[in-house]
Amino acid sequence: MEFASEKKREILSSIARNDGHGEHSPYFDGWKAYDRNPFHPTQNPDGVIQLGLAENQLSFDLIEEWIKNNPTASICTPAGVGKFKDVANFQDYHGLTKFRQAVAKFMGRVRRGKATFDPNRVVMSGGATGASETLIFCLADPGDAFLVPSPYYPAFDRDIRWRTGVRLIPVPCNSSNNFQVTLAQMESAYTKAIEANINVKGVILTNPSNPLGTTLSKETLTSLLSFTFKKNLHMVCDEIYSATVFNSPAFTSISEVMQETECNPDLVHIIYSLSKDLGLPGFRVGIIYSYNDQVVNCARKMSSFGLVSSQSQHLLASMLSDEVFVEKFLEESSRRLAKRHSRFVEGLKHEGIHCLEGNAGLFFWMDLHHLLKEPTHDAEMELWRVIIKDVKLNVSPGSSFHCMEPGFFRVCFANMDDHTVEVALKRIKELVSKGNGSGDAKKHGRKRNLSLNFTSRKCDESLMSPHQRMSPHSPVPQSPLVRART
Amino acid sequence: MRSLLSGKATCNSHGQDSSYFLGWQEYEKNPYDQTRNPQGIIQMGLAENQLSFDLLESWLSKNPDVAGFKRNGESIFRELALFQDYHGLPEFKKALVQFMEEIRGNKVSFDPDKIVLTAGATSANETLIFCLAEAGDAILIPTPYYPGFDRDLKWRTGAEIVPIHCTSSNGFKITACALQQAYQEARNRNLKVKGVLVTNPSNPLGTTMTRPELDLLMDFIVEKQIHLVSDEIYSGTVFSSPNYTSIMEVLSKYEKAEVLDRVHVVYSLSKDLGLPGFRVGAIYSNNDTIVAAATKMSSFGLVSSQTQYFLSALLSDKKFTKKYISENKKRLKNRHASLVSGLHNAGISCLESNAGLFCWVDMRHLLSSTTFEAEMELWKKIVYDVKLNISPGLSCHCSEPGWFRVCFANMTEETLKVAIRRIKAFVESTSRGPDKAISGQRCANVSSRKKPFSKWVFRLPFQDREAGER
């Protein structure tokens, strides 16, 4: 049996057989627990609450209302069907002109007019996932490396490395300065890599940061941009959360800093998407924006492998061109994110749990190191298992973000309703009181019951029933779309 | 001085410097329009199916729920907007496989759990090669083949294509000898052969593979222990006999054999439904490791949930799909007949075909010599003087000069008539005995026009035509 399955796997490529997809990371194990026992306020009030999904679910009503009021934006309505043929037929990898124009305008608006974007540099991709991979295919060869401040988004391991053969070198950041990456740290990591004969091609920054929920200061961005310029490295900025900034300091984009600092535009590239800012991950709208003509050209050709559906381009072109709507949406979305963030963070503070002061993103970086048995990653995983099994909250352990310091967890706050937030806070309160009690437990040498088995971290799809198989993007087995029968 | 960009960014493996695209550029500069630009270039290099949109539009007018992101009157917008599960919308996959079964006369069945959704067949083919081959491995492909394969299968994967040469002597069918020769050529080049990829129905030939050809292929991959990928993107465009035989039908005789793990089908809705803009492709495989790996890779190019939702409603309407499949075939058949008879009247014959959105046209008798240079010369005359953009056989890697792919489903009936008139006039002028001075001058003009081309590809990045059309 085993031999046959081994033979099966041999006929495949090494990429198909290796773990480069990264789905064995603990990041996804918590989802498995959620998957088996998802919280529902009435049907399953003791289920696991999903706090590991960075989705923006707070402002759908605004978008839905706009769609209802703008039937011509859809090619399926009587008002819009006149465009059906042209749109359905359109597969030009330049994308619909009005789509590119609308995206460029939107990006400029998000940056409060501090930078303007050329529609001719807007290149489509299959979500930011596709954008990241495509950009790396353009910039680097197998074996080349990019420096990336950690903690960082777990799926970069897949997006940047898997099929490209490119390496990621973490630049570890720590709590002593609120995890803000410094020039010194970057230079040190760069030097070490060069000494190890690694061909460093560039730096990847996520700003605002996932998982920290903070924005990079103008000074830091400037110094990092200068550094890349001096070393002739690419500067890749993933600005996917740019419109989720809900508190000061205001967002400073690399596009702004470029105007005020000496740099080589051929080395500067932005990754963007509508998945977080607008809350539309299902529509798969990724954008590569590069200041390098050759990269634009190449990425555009590669975009054939992941174009945005013309149906979605058409809808979003209309929506993003509506300046009144965009203005209202950005303001209101920010307000709701701020409110939700504040409720959660204040609630935790009340329990003696501190979070990194964040002003952006759909999550916050929670500090639980004082609840660890010892300052190790193993202890972090142990605590995490307790949080999932006993407290029934799926939060994401810092180690899955390659965080060097144990005890930190990313907690998402924008993918649930207000009631669920209260339930989550209540449970955290209970965790804290347990944690206070555990001091005694330790004294008496009592072992914590960790019966949830994580020895095999494989996210093994074959073990799950068809309706419970999940994907790293969106494990929503209870989504009516998954349960639906035709 | 190390290179700023990757090898992939600076090489030509995307294939877009090919002559295939020069014709498109000319068309873009001077596109035919019945009223506004009747002297413009008619686009016959675009394998699109524009004949049956009215059927889709009419379905939409009768199904308003779909337009409003509703199901049973309730809004599901939020769920759709959030849905990015790479397993795909279950109801869409179910409807899609049923549609695929219907196209195959319900002679085969597909399991929705074995299908992987991708952003078009472009992505499906690339993803499959990433799963099957290492950089430097070879895939054997019968010639002539779709020019886009050079990009889709080789560019980022690093795989190689080795041609299986097919000739007009037997209607370009695959022979055992050609297969063995291709395999040997790969070996001589020190390339490990990982599989064979065929397009059935064929692009650019417009023919369906015969059962003996399919059996031959199966024998070959069993013997060599390699994969077979059957790109069946045109399966719904088979408009006359012989009836279509999918590789899936042939597989049924292999029941529990190990070879089942090595046969994969690629599909898309771009040709059958004429919806290339929606980017709907699929990989179908019995090999669950491939399905698992390809599913993860599909993250790089998922199908928009909005589109999945619309299509699940459309394709679940069995009354509609039955009517559509049959009416679409009828229209393709008529249009094909118009082109074939029009060419026949001009003394031009085509390969006898029963599928696809194009004809494989024999213009060998119009060549000044049996060379590819003469083919390019003829092609340029057709683009610049006759003002028709057709695709030269060389761009499809045909081993015999003088063949051209001419599309017929991407224009109105009137435009087709205009095109046929122009071809007839051209042939007549040629047979009248061309004024050598004039034709020589034309050639000189044409070849001087050729020089700036390679600059165009880089200087006019925003006028590059999408190379997805087949």
Side-chain angles (χ1 to χ4, degrees):
Chain A
M1 220 24 162
E2 215 175 281
F3 175 70
S5 84
E6 260 175 49
K7 266 227 96 170
K8 229 193 223 188
R9 288 161 63 78
E10 259 171 39
I11 56 174
L12 305 185
S13 68
S14 50
I15 288 177
R17 286 179 279 127
N18 70 26
D19 288 347
H21 49 74
E23 285 185 27
H24 300 162
S25 152
Y27 186 59
F28 304 113
D29 283 353
W31 288 0
K32 204 167 162 177
Y34 166 77
D35 198 32
R36 285 195 196 122
N37 183 21
F39 171 81
H40 186 278
T42 47
Q43 289 165 21
N44 190 20
D46 292 327
V48 175
I49 296 178
Q50 174 63 289
L51 298 175
L53 200 49
E55 277 178 359
N56 184 356
Q57 295 191 23
L58 302 188
S59 303
F60 276 121
D61 56 315
L62 302 176
I63 295 185
E64 261 183 292
E65 195 196 335
W66 186 92
I67 289 178
K68 227 189 291 181
N69 295 336
N70 291 270
T72 50
S74 164
I75 50 175
C76 296
T77 57
V81 77
K83 290 267 158 63
F84 182 86
K85 177 177 165 149
D86 287 340
V87 172
N89 214 36
F90 187 85
Q91 57 169 329
D92 184 337
Y93 60 27
H94 290 94
L96 289 170
T97 306
K98 59 188 180 146
F99 173 71
R100 279 186 286 118
Q101 284 168 343
V103 166
K105 196 158 38 147
F106 182 70
M107 288 174 73
R109 172 61 193 83
V110 167
R111 289 151 186 76
R112 301 174 322 280
K114 298 259 174 98
T116 55
F117 292 84
D118 177 358
N120 291 328
R121 293 192 177 282
V122 172
V123 175
M124 296 181 287
S125 59
T129 301
S132 303
E133 189 198 45
T134 293
L135 187 56
I136 299 304
F137 266 128
C138 292
L139 302 182
D141 292 312
D144 289 344
F146 277 80
L147 299 166
V148 57
S150 66
Y152 63 82
Y153 168 54
F156 273 164
D157 290 333
R158 171 196 62 198
D159 300 348
I160 309 293
R161 302 182 325 170
W162 189 21
R163 305 191 304 182
T164 61
V166 166
R167 303 162 64 160
L168 275 178
I169 297 173
V171 180
C173 303
N174 58 68
S175 58
S176 65
N177 70 336
N178 292 324
F179 293 93
Q180 293 298 293
V181 63
T182 64
L183 178 61
Q185 284 165 338
M186 186 65 77
E187 281 174 334
S188 161
Y190 173 78
T191 306
K192 278 205 193 86
I194 295 299
E195 282 166 3
N197 258 326
I198 297 173
N199 191 26
V200 179
K201 275 324 266 292
V203 166
I204 301 175
L205 302 177
T206 305
N207 177 33
S209 161
N210 174 10
L212 303 175
T214 54
T215 47
L216 281 172
S217 71
K218 193 171 194 176
E219 294 68 39
T220 305
L221 260 180
T222 304
S223 67
L224 292 175
L225 181 61
S226 298
F227 166 75
T228 56
F229 172 57
K230 284 196 196 94
K231 305 289 184 194
N232 204 32
L233 301 174
H234 288 283
M235 167 60 86
V236 176
C237 284
D238 184 345
E239 301 192 343
I240 194 177
Y241 291 100
S242 46
T244 65
V245 179
F246 50 80
N247 263 338
S248 61
F251 175 58
T252 306
S253 161
I254 196 74
S255 53
E256 224 181 296
V257 168
M258 274 174 87
Q259 297 168 46
E260 298 164 11
T261 310
E262 194 189 8
C263 69
N264 177 0
D266 276 348
L267 295 173
V268 184
H269 326 273
I270 295 175
I271 290 168
Y272 187 55
S273 161
L274 299 180
S275 300
K276 309 295 177 183
D277 290 349
L278 288 188
L280 304 173
F283 292 5
R284 313 315 303 149
V285 183
I287 303 289
I288 296 168
Y289 190 92
S290 174
Y291 293 91
N292 180 318
D293 289 352
Q294 212 177 340
V295 171
V296 169
N297 213 302
C298 179
R300 184 176 289 117
K301 291 179 173 69
M302 286 188 182
S303 69
S304 297
F305 298 112
L307 296 172
V308 176
S309 167
S310 54
Q311 180 185 20
S312 302
Q313 288 185 52
H314 179 77
L315 175 73
L316 294 164
S318 280
M319 193 187 297
L320 297 181
S321 301
D322 184 341
E323 289 179 15
V324 172
F325 167 75
V326 165
E327 201 61 45
K328 171 176 155 198
F329 180 89
L330 289 177
E331 207 181 289
E332 183 60 19
S333 173
S334 249
R335 196 191 64 80
R336 295 180 188 186
L337 288 170
K339 187 169 172 209
R340 176 59 70 80
H341 173 268
S342 165
R343 174 68 194 110
F344 229 127
V345 167
E346 291 305 309
L348 290 176
K349 206 167 166 186
H350 197 255
E351 301 308 322
I353 293 179
H354 295 284
C355 304
L356 184 68
E357 195 169 323
N359 64 323
L362 308 173
F363 33 71
F364 50 83
W365 193 233
M366 180 171 70
D367 182 357
L368 294 184
H369 82 275
H370 57 291
L371 294 183
L372 295 184
K373 273 196 194 154
E374 55 195 19
T376 62
H377 282 119
D378 283 343
E380 178 185 287
M381 293 312 290
E382 210 180 289
L383 173 60
W384 178 58
R385 284 177 212 132
V386 168
I387 295 174
I388 291 188
K389 181 185 182 284
D390 299 345
V391 192
K392 299 221 181 62
L393 299 173
N394 179 31
V395 296
S396 311
S399 52
S400 63
F401 296 88
H402 303 278
C403 184
M404 293 294 282
E405 253 179 82
F408 288 85
F409 294 80
R410 188 192 76 171
V411 182
C412 298
F413 60 74
N415 61 307
M416 68 207 66
D417 59 27
D418 290 333
H419 168 80
T420 309
V421 173
E422 299 309 319
V423 175
L425 281 172
K426 192 156 146 263
R427 291 183 187 182
I428 290 176
K429 187 173 180 179
E430 288 161 8
L431 162 72
V432 170
S433 32
K434 249 194 201 163
N436 289 340
S438 81
D440 297 338
K442 263 196 273 189
K443 259 196 226 162
H444 297 291
R446 247 190 290 154
K447 263 195 188 162
R448 206 173 277 289
N449 180 9
L450 298 166
S451 55
L452 186 63
N453 183 13
F454 276 93
T455 50
S456 160
R457 291 211 183 123
K458 260 184 86 170
C459 167
D460 195 338
E461 290 174 35
S462 61
L463 293 182
M464 300 191 232
S465 79
H467 295 299
Q468 285 178 336
R469 275 176 310 160
M470 58 188 205
S471 89
H473 299 284
S474 174
V476 282
Q478 299 309 309
S479 161
L481 300 180
V482 175
R483 273 181 316 200
R485 300 273 186 274
T486 330
Chain B
M1 167 82 178
R2 68 192 170 142
S3 145
L4 196 60
L5 303 185
S6 67
K8 291 176 180 66
T10 46
C11 72
N12 282 341
S13 296
H14 49 71
Q16 286 187 217
D17 298 341
S18 138
S19 52
Y20 187 55
F21 303 106
L22 169 59
W24 285 358
Q25 294 215 343
E26 287 306 301
Y27 165 77
E28 295 286 322
K29 277 153 60 180
N30 182 19
Y32 171 84
D33 181 283
Q34 202 172 346
T35 41
R36 285 171 299 187
N37 189 20
Q39 299 308 315
I41 297 179
I42 297 177
Q43 174 66 288
M44 303 187 90
L46 202 47
E48 278 175 2
N49 181 359
Q50 296 190 22
L51 303 188
S52 305
F53 276 118
D54 57 312
L55 302 178
L56 297 169
E57 286 158 2
S58 137
W59 184 88
L60 276 169
S61 67
K62 301 190 188 107
N63 290 271
D65 250 15
V66 166
F69 292 107
K70 290 202 178 88
R71 183 192 289 125
N72 303 324
E74 284 205 12
S75 171
I76 53 165
F77 174 77
R78 186 190 181 109
E79 285 81 4
L80 273 178
L82 290 175
F83 189 83
Q84 53 170 331
D85 184 346
Y86 60 24
H87 293 104
L89 215 54
E91 67 223 53
F92 173 55
K93 289 201 298 182
K94 184 167 168 214
L96 180 62
V97 304
Q98 285 174 351
F99 184 66
M100 289 166 72
E101 288 167 353
E102 201 176 339
I103 283 173
R104 289 157 184 73
N106 292 308
K107 286 185 269 176
V108 296
S109 68
F110 291 93
D111 177 353
D113 287 341
K114 294 182 177 175
I115 203 159
V116 179
L117 301 176
T118 61
T122 300
S123 181
N125 281 316
E126 189 197 45
T127 296
L128 256 183
I129 300 306
F130 265 124
C131 290
L132 305 183
E134 308 293 344
D137 286 345
I139 306 291
L140 308 182
I141 306 189
T143 66
Y145 64 77
Y146 162 55
F149 279 156
D150 291 324
R151 170 196 64 194
D152 300 349
L153 310 181
K154 300 194 316 180
W155 190 16
R156 306 189 309 178
T157 62
E160 294 288 344
I161 293 177
V162 174
I164 301 166
H165 293 291
C166 301
T167 67
S168 58
S169 61
N170 72 339
F172 294 93
K173 291 196 184 31
I174 300 174
T175 63
C177 178
L179 281 169
Q180 294 293 349
Q181 274 180 354
Y183 192 86
Q184 191 53 50
E185 184 192 328
R187 296 293 295 272
N188 293 344
R189 286 166 60 182
N190 257 327
L191 302 172
K192 185 165 184 206
V193 177
K194 285 319 264 294
V196 178
L197 188 147
V198 298
T199 307
N200 178 29
S202 163
N203 174 11
L205 303 175
T207 52
T208 49
M209 287 179 74
T210 60
R211 185 65 195 236
E213 272 178 290
L214 292 168
D215 287 333
L216 181 64
L217 275 174
M218 289 302 299
D219 290 342
F220 182 71
I221 67 159
V222 165
E223 180 204 328
K224 303 293 187 199
Q225 299 265 294
I226 58 179
H227 294 273
L228 175 63
V229 177
S230 180
D231 184 341
E232 302 193 346
I233 192 177
Y234 290 100
S235 45
T237 66
V238 181
F239 50 76
S240 64
S241 63
N243 281 335
Y244 179 56
T245 308
S246 159
I247 196 68
M248 293 298 294
E249 235 181 288
V250 175
L251 278 190
S252 54
K253 96 170 183 212
Y254 290 85
E255 254 188 48
K256 302 239 190 270
E258 178 254 340
V259 74
L260 288 179
D261 271 350
R262 288 187 280 105
V263 178
H264 324 284
V265 171
V266 165
Y267 187 55
S268 161
L269 296 180
S270 299
K271 310 296 176 182
D272 292 350
L273 282 190
L275 305 172
F278 290 2
R279 315 314 302 144
V280 182
I283 296 168
Y284 187 87
S285 178
N286 285 307
N287 184 323
D288 45 25
T289 316
I290 293 228
V291 170
T295 301
K296 293 175 175 69
M297 287 190 190
S298 70
S299 296
F300 299 111
L302 298 174
V303 179
S304 168
S305 58
Q306 176 189 25
T307 301
Q308 290 189 53
Y309 172 65
F310 161 61
L311 290 169
S312 69
L314 181 82
L315 297 181
S316 301
D317 184 342
K318 300 288 185 268
K319 249 170 90 184
F320 169 79
T321 56
K322 186 167 177 197
K323 172 173 152 205
Y324 182 93
I325 290 172
S326 123
E327 182 62 25
N328 182 45
K329 284 185 189 180
K330 219 189 291 176
R331 296 180 186 186
L332 286 171
K333 183 175 184 174
N334 289 341
R335 191 57 79 79
H336 169 267
S338 294
L339 177 60
V340 169
S341 65
L343 289 172
H344 183 74
N345 284 339
I348 298 176
S349 64
C350 303
L351 181 69
E352 198 172 318
S353 65
N354 62 327
L357 310 173
F358 33 70
C359 288
W360 190 235
V361 179
D362 185 356
M363 297 202 202
R364 290 177 290 175
H365 59 295
L366 298 175
L367 295 182
S368 57
S369 61
T370 315
T371 60
F372 284 112
E373 286 73 25
E375 178 182 288
M376 285 315 287
E377 209 181 283
L378 174 60
W379 177 64
K380 279 171 196 162
K381 273 193 209 145
I382 295 176
V383 170
Y384 291 111
D385 301 340
V386 188
K387 300 224 179 53
L388 302 176
N389 179 34
I390 62 178
S391 310
L394 179 63
S395 66
C396 301
H397 302 274
C398 186
S399 44
E400 282 174 41
W403 293 88
F404 292 79
R405 189 191 77 169
V406 180
C407 299
F408 56 71
N410 63 309
M411 65 199 71
T412 62
E413 186 81 42
E414 293 70 35
T415 306
L416 184 61
K417 289 192 175 117
V418 171
I420 290 171
R421 275 201 297 271
R422 288 185 188 179
I423 294 174
K424 189 149 191 225
F426 168 70
V427 171
E428 278 165 3
S429 72
T430 314
S431 63
R432 269 199 304 270
D435 180 338
K436 290 228 163 20
I438 293 173
S439 74
Q441 189 170 44
R442 271 206 203 120
C443 286
N445 286 344
V446 154
S447 60
S448 73
R449 255 175 275 173
K450 187 198 175 193
K451 276 179 207 147
F453 168 62
S454 54
K455 278 195 214 159
W456 290 343
V457 173
F458 296 106
R459 265 209 271 126
L460 303 175
F462 314 116
Q463 289 169 34
D464 281 353
R465 182 69 193 196
E466 152 62 8
E469 292 89 346
R470 295 160 171 233

